[in-house]
Each structure stands twice: as structure tokens, then as C-alpha cells.
Amino acid sequence: MKVVYSVATGVTGNYWITKMHPQSGTPVISGPTAVGAPKYYAYLNAGQLVGMVAGMKGAAEYEKLSRRRSP
């Protein structure tokens, strides 16, 4: 795999960050809910996550960026 994108809450997101990334070096992107996002910022700041789309705000920001890049 080139990248793992986890859109989940609870232990599923933590699994990919703590198991997949250290064992294989595969980059992980997380898409937690807005209320779950604060616990993932530590992983993001430590470099264990390469990106995060946090809640509806993050989804709206991603949508805006992806439209900007489309021809």
C-alpha cells in the first residue's frame, strides 16, 4: 500500500496509526469526527500522521482544495 486513509472513530484510527505506520512505514491519513479530532493532533504533530481531514470543517476544506486543483 502507498497510503492508508482511515475514516473512523475510536480504536480503528488508532490501530492504523500505532500498528501500520511503525511496522511498514506506510503513511497514514486520518478522517476523524470533529469531536474525536483533538486526540489525533498529537499523532499529526509527531509525524505519525501525514494528514488529517477533521470533521465537517476538514471535509469542506478538502472539497474546496480539490475543486481548485481540478481542470
Side-chain angles (χ1 to χ4, degrees), residues 14-64:
N14 290 346
Y15 170 81
W16 290 108
I17 296 166
T18 59
K19 301 288 190 256
M20 184 67 163
H21 177 71
Q23 291 179 7
S24 67
T26 303
V28 178
I29 300 169
S30 181
T33 60
V35 297
K39 72 177 180 181
Y40 290 99
Y41 281 108
Y43 294 116
L44 188 63
N45 292 336
Q48 291 175 286
L49 280 176
V50 295
M52 185 168 64
V53 178
M56 292 293 288
K57 182 179 185 293
E61 291 169 347
Y62 178 78
E63 181 180 18
K64 187 175 181 179

